[in-house]
Amino acid sequence: MKNTFALALALGDDALIAAQRLGEWASRAPEMEEDIALANIALDQLGAARLLLTYAGELEGAGRDEDALAYLRDDREFTNCLLVELPNGDFAVTMAKLLLLSAYQLPLYTALAGCADERLAAIGAKARKESAYHLDHAALWVRRLGDGTDESHRRMQAAVDEVWPYAQELFRPWPGAPVDPATLRADFDGRVDAVLAEATLTRPADGWAPAGGRDGLHTEHLSFLLAEMQVLHRAHPGAKW
Amino acid sequence: MYGNDFSAPENTPGGGLLGEVEAAEAALREAATRQRGAAGPDADLEAYFADVIDADQKIEPRDWMPEAYRKTLIRQIAQHAHSEIIGMQPEGNWISRAPSLKRKAILLAKVQDEAGHGLYLYAAAETLGISRDELVQLLLDGRQKYSSIFNYPTLTWADVGAIGWLVDGAAIVNQVPLCRCSYGPYARAMIRVCKEESFHQRQGYEILHTLAHGTPAQKAMAQDAIDRWWYPSLAMFGPPDGDSTHSAQSMAWKIKRFSNDELRQRFVDMCVQQAEILGLTLPDPDLRWNDDRQAYDYTQPDYDELMRVIKGNGPCNRQRMEHRRRAHAEGAWVREAAAAYAAKHTSREKVAA
Amino acid sequence: MSTERAPLWEVFVRPRRGLAHTHVGSLHAPDAELALRNARDLYTRRQEGVSIWVVPAGAITASSPDEKDAFFDPAADKVYRHPTFYEVPDGVAHL
């Protein structure tokens, strides 16, 4: 139970912070068509976040709903992975982040869809289809940027190099959780390696492995993100919106 | 006489403005089967064009049309498209701070819709023989305008509600008649846009309704937003009829169906009752029912201010254009990469069901 | 330079099983794969379709049946896009 709550919360936080970052792109994308695509992905992440946080709140049994969990916790209480809170950077960094995130979420949600917990299974079944689409979208752009112009290749490789270290945290063993993320690494590697190869990009070596998100130890970026996200909600305690 | 275009809402299928959109769609289909006069496209081109317009049928992209008709449509559709794209900014301003996850999702979807509407409209304009690249460049160079309403700032969350209710409301009043515009691609785009816009107006009204029935601070926030957005929304209908430069010819071509003042009046008449139900006040001490006119008397917006904003001196003109230019410039390397990739890889077409 | 135009694609959507693909509009994309993705995002945000064709100058590209789930299911739960999702207080007309 404790593990189920913690996993629902962690995955809900991943999706929420990812949605918040993707939402920052609205009206700023490289093409108007891409504005629509990024908003779609942000909406999917937000939708998954709401389901997961609602369920986490129920499991906790302390009367916290999705908004209480999203708006009234401080950064040390968030358990999202560091990857999602990193700033958007340029479009290449955003696509590199999305590639790693969706290549993690797809096998994770797929495994959840078959887990014993009915609610998590239902959420997983719904979210994995969305993740498949996100992965597809990220892969499509990583291929184009990697195998596009000299400049785009340089930017895409730099982006992959920049975010790669943050992938390792995703697969930290979590014994007792409904799904142990450590079991998903091979699936992730297979998918990501294929995309990088097609994109004529070099897979960075594993080395520096920043971590701590799942324990509430974040980068300096998260509290700024939360300050903006939570400011209005917190300014009117108890108000309905 | 176009008065029938605005049949009473209770008589239209679906009711309200959405019903009028549906009626326009039905009229479009019905008119397509109507017999016209004798002129065929091979005879006198001008007579054929006039015939199609008279029969309330649609002019399609490859039909002959007067050059001025084409230019008028390009200008109008492009400005409309630009407005949707620039209009993403004032509301996008609140996505990151939306006060609940549900509101965040709704607002994101709404801003996304605006991008979609912009694209529908650019596509409609392109059927008139101008490229989207050219249109975007005209916007970035400041040679085509967008609706001046988006040059006002969104200062509080309630502004998101006020934009939905008043700005989208005014836009819909303007746009519903365009569903019957004589140019087919524009009419069809507007039918699609209006159906989707209905969700926008309702979400705005719902935000204000919630605020108006919330804490005193929330109610004050809602009233403040209405105080700031009311007159700029009235100005969205353009200058008074006497000063409007394009109206008469556009009416004759059935691009425009009602005058600026007729539409403004209609908007005011709709808003009064809706404001009452919100429990909020429209900021016009002279607003009152006129039994003779069967309409509300109201104070006109400040048209000098409208002209100042149109000329580039509203509170946010520079900011909005700078934002758009930066997004376009910063995306250039991505668009170049996609083009280079496409050139390298002959697309492998999939054959599917 | 970036002003080279991504080609125009016409988009056809099959609204439901049993109905023919219908022209819904057009869009720009540098290649077929992107055109199809963009068409899905632009023209089927409200579950308007079960299948899409994008057509550049004479050639047809369509979504394959395999991709249908990921293509269309995600829109199914976005009820807030439909006007009926909103509660309109009693007595409010013209909204």
Side-chain angles (χ1 to χ4, degrees):
Chain A
M1 192 64 152
K2 193 128 190 76
N3 270 316
T4 307
F5 163 72
L7 186 72
L9 190 67
L11 300 186
D13 286 348
D14 282 355
L16 175 61
I17 304 303
Q20 182 75 4
R21 283 292 187 217
L22 287 165
E24 292 172 12
W25 273 101
S27 79
R28 291 179 174 84
E31 272 284 23
M32 296 170 206
E33 284 84 355
E34 189 59 20
D35 241 314
I36 294 174
L38 290 174
N40 253 349
I41 297 170
L43 281 166
D44 287 343
Q45 294 285 352
L46 188 51
R50 294 177 65 189
L51 293 173
L52 287 160
L53 293 179
T54 298
Y55 186 42
E58 289 170 24
L59 288 170
E60 185 190 40
R64 293 204 279 186
D65 63 8
E66 59 179 38
D67 286 337
L69 287 169
Y71 289 97
L72 299 176
R73 282 181 300 152
D74 292 329
D75 64 305
R76 295 280 283 107
E77 299 165 89
F78 271 76
T79 56
N80 58 277
C81 58
L82 303 181
L83 175 70
V84 293
E85 70 199 46
L86 298 177
N88 282 335
D90 66 7
F91 187 66
V93 172
T94 292
M95 285 302 115
K97 286 176 64 182
L98 184 63
L99 176 68
L100 300 191
L101 180 67
S102 54
Y104 164 69
Q105 286 180 326
L106 177 56
L108 181 59
Y109 287 139
T110 303
L112 271 189
C115 82
D117 186 292
E118 267 180 38
R119 284 282 288 282
L120 279 183
I123 295 170
K126 175 184 173 314
R128 72 176 171 185
K129 294 175 186 169
E130 297 167 351
S131 292
Y133 195 79
H134 305 167
L135 179 61
D136 196 54
H137 192 79
L140 175 154
W141 273 112
V142 170
R143 286 201 307 273
R144 276 160 184 73
L145 299 180
D147 194 16
T149 63
D150 290 345
E151 183 188 9
S152 72
H153 180 83
R154 178 180 59 73
R155 284 180 186 251
M156 195 63 240
Q157 184 66 57
V160 170
D161 292 347
E162 182 184 329
V163 302
W164 187 261
Y166 296 89
Q168 296 164 83
E169 176 192 25
L170 304 173
F171 303 100
R172 190 179 75 170
W174 192 336
V179 170
D180 183 353
T183 61
L184 310 171
R185 180 75 204 226
D187 190 312
F188 171 91
D189 283 339
R191 291 175 195 276
V192 171
D193 287 353
V195 174
L196 294 180
E198 264 194 278
T200 71
L201 296 167
T202 309
R203 179 192 159 134
D206 283 343
W208 176 54
R214 298 282 185 238
D215 302 317
L217 291 164
H218 292 276
T219 66
E220 290 177 350
H221 305 295
L222 184 64
S223 87
F224 284 102
L225 179 151
L226 294 180
E228 184 174 343
M229 186 176 87
Q230 297 174 338
V231 61
L232 175 61
H233 186 96
R234 289 191 178 204
H236 299 263
K240 297 265 183 297
W241 299 98
Chain B
M1 160 66 182
Y2 308 121
N4 288 340
D5 283 9
F6 279 145
S7 47
E10 56 270 28
N11 295 336
T12 51
L17 292 166
L18 207 51
E20 290 175 22
V21 175
E22 281 162 20
E25 197 174 11
L28 181 149
R29 294 222 174 82
E30 191 262 330
T33 61
R34 198 175 301 152
Q35 292 292 324
R36 275 194 320 273
D42 302 332
D44 180 354
L45 290 171
E46 266 187 89
Y48 179 66
F49 175 84
D51 229 31
V52 172
I53 300 266
D54 282 348
D56 261 336
Q57 292 190 350
K58 302 302 175 197
I59 301 296
E60 295 295 346
R62 300 182 58 146
D63 289 343
W64 179 88
M65 60 188 85
E67 201 44 36
Y69 177 86
R70 182 191 303 276
K71 284 212 170 95
T72 300
L73 276 168
I74 288 176
R75 182 180 51 79
Q76 183 173 337
I77 301 173
Q79 289 187 8
H80 195 160
H82 300 330
S83 299
E84 297 282 356
I85 296 302
I86 298 291
M88 296 169 72
Q89 293 180 40
E91 289 176 283
N93 184 34
W94 282 92
I95 291 172
S96 68
R97 294 171 292 171
S100 73
L101 298 186
K102 177 185 150 190
R103 291 287 173 209
K104 189 190 290 287
I106 291 169
L107 185 58
L108 243 174
K110 183 182 179 223
V111 172
Q112 183 197 39
D113 271 348
E114 275 150 18
H117 296 172
L119 292 179
Y120 301 158
L121 288 160
Y122 281 125
E126 283 188 301
T127 62
L128 291 157
I130 189 164
S131 75
R132 187 169 110 196
D133 272 355
E134 291 172 278
L135 294 171
V136 167
Q137 202 55 50
L138 287 167
L139 171 68
L140 297 180
D141 293 345
R143 288 160 60 207
Q144 278 184 341
K145 303 290 184 195
Y146 55 88
S147 178
S148 57
I149 193 77
F150 300 119
N151 292 315
Y152 291 88
T154 47
L155 301 178
T156 71
W157 170 252
D159 290 28
V160 174
I163 288 186
W165 177 43
L166 295 175
V167 175
D168 292 335
I172 292 173
V173 168
N174 246 325
Q175 289 169 5
V176 165
L178 292 175
C179 296
R180 293 174 183 258
C181 163
S182 61
Y183 187 58
Y186 193 25
R188 290 190 290 272
M190 289 318 304
I191 287 170
R192 203 177 166 96
V193 167
C194 283
K195 285 181 176 177
E196 297 184 3
E197 286 277 348
S198 174
F199 133 64
H200 296 180
Q201 198 198 5
R202 288 182 189 195
Q203 68 89 31
Y205 193 78
E206 196 187 72
I207 286 174
L208 291 176
H209 194 265
T210 307
L211 293 176
H213 294 80
T215 67
Q218 285 178 305
K219 184 163 184 179
M221 191 193 285
Q223 183 62 56
D224 170 59
I226 290 174
D227 290 349
R228 284 182 288 110
W229 288 94
W230 173 247
Y231 286 107
S233 299
L234 291 186
M236 283 175 71
F237 295 94
D241 292 347
D243 306 346
S244 182
T245 40
H246 305 292
S247 279
Q249 182 60 71
S250 287
M251 299 270 262
W253 279 330
K254 297 186 183 173
I255 293 173
K256 203 176 156 94
R257 299 271 181 163
F258 300 92
S259 75
N260 294 351
D261 287 334
E262 282 174 298
L263 292 170
R264 192 167 9 244
Q265 181 71 59
R266 179 173 156 83
F267 175 68
V268 170
D269 291 347
M270 277 171 37
C271 287
V272 172
Q273 186 235 6
Q274 291 173 1
E276 276 168 20
I277 291 177
L278 287 176
L280 297 170
T281 310
L282 297 174
D284 180 355
D286 297 323
L287 186 69
R288 63 179 56 86
W289 180 252
N290 182 324
D291 223 28
D292 295 336
R293 292 202 306 120
Q294 286 294 300
Y296 283 91
D297 291 338
Y298 62 96
T299 305
Q300 292 289 322
D302 179 350
Y303 293 111
D304 292 337
E305 176 181 321
L306 174 65
M307 287 307 144
R308 281 199 301 279
V309 179
I310 288 175
K311 291 208 169 84
N313 292 319
C316 298
N317 297 59
R318 286 161 181 78
Q319 179 188 335
R320 301 288 185 243
M321 288 304 294
E322 170 57 26
H323 180 115
R324 194 64 240 144
R325 288 194 189 106
R326 191 185 319 127
H328 189 75
E330 288 180 356
W333 70 273
V334 176
R335 297 191 298 274
E336 284 163 24
Y341 179 93
K344 271 189 234 181
H345 298 250
T346 356
S347 319
R348 288 141 291 183
E349 264 107 295
K350 294 175 216 161
V351 181
Chain C
M1 249 323 283
S2 66
T3 42
E4 89 308 317
R5 189 57 255 173
L8 191 67
W9 303 74
E10 296 298 334
V11 182
F12 297 79
V13 171
R14 183 200 298 286
R16 284 184 296 281
R17 282 188 182 284
L19 299 181
H21 284 76
T22 310
H23 185 236
V24 294
S26 58
L27 51 76
H28 287 282
D31 58 45
E33 191 183 12
L34 260 176
L36 204 50
R37 278 0 178 240
N38 292 345
R40 177 260 191 189
D41 289 337
L42 182 58
Y43 287 106
T44 65
R45 297 199 299 289
R46 289 175 173 76
Q47 302 166 261
E48 290 97 334
V50 294
S51 166
I52 300 174
W53 291 346
V54 290
V55 186
I60 287 180
T61 305
S63 64
S64 60
D66 297 0
E67 291 167 344
K68 190 171 71 71
D69 271 8
F71 251 56
F72 297 108
D73 277 16
D77 62 322
K78 294 190 175 64
V79 289
Y80 45 76
R81 288 192 188 284
H82 299 273
T84 48
F85 177 66
Y86 297 91
E87 288 178 31
V88 177
D90 286 347
V92 181
H94 307 296
L95 204 60

